[in-house]
């Protein structure tokens, strides 16, 4: 029995550098939770700063099932 090889994904799963809202505090280098693209994701701050619930952050990447976020978007 032969298995088909999957084709590499040409489009990103979602677009980075979009806004997300913090749902559960992100404290230092520990994960919190954000609401992004209609669902909840684990998130960690790349700046290693604490971010409170309700603040807006910017998603700049993903590591497995954890989003990488910063307070200010990259220019």
């Amino acid at each position: 029995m032969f298995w088909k090889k999957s084709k590499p994904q040409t489009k990103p799963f979602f677009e980075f550098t979009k806004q997300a809202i913090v749902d559960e505090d992100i404290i230092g280098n520990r994960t919190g939770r954000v609401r992004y693209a209609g669902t909840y994701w684990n998130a960690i701050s790349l700046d290693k700063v604490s971010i409170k619930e309700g603040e807006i952050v910017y998603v700049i990447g993903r590591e497995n099932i954890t989003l990488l976020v910063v307070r200010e978007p990259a220019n």
Side-chain angles (χ1 to χ4, degrees):
M1 182 174 213
F2 294 98
W3 298 97
K4 289 184 179 181
K5 288 185 179 180
S6 62
K7 293 181 182 178
Q9 195 175 17
T10 55
K11 294 181 183 177
F13 180 66
F14 52 83
E15 193 173 336
F16 295 123
T17 67
K18 294 282 186 164
Q19 291 182 350
I21 299 175
V22 177
D23 183 63
E24 182 181 292
D25 291 355
I26 301 169
I27 301 172
N29 62 349
R30 293 182 22 212
T31 60
R33 188 172 64 184
V34 297
R35 182 158 176 85
Y36 177 75
T39 60
Y40 292 95
W41 291 79
N42 290 330
I44 192 165
S45 169
L46 284 183
D47 302 330
K48 308 295 186 220
V49 296
S50 296
I51 305 171
K52 299 289 184 187
E53 180 180 345
E55 289 189 50
I56 294 176
V57 293
Y58 295 87
V59 178
I60 60 166
R62 181 177 70 147
E63 188 174 297
N64 296 322
I65 61 168
T66 303
L67 296 180
L68 307 173
V69 300
V70 294
R71 278 195 173 145
E72 299 293 325
N75 290 332

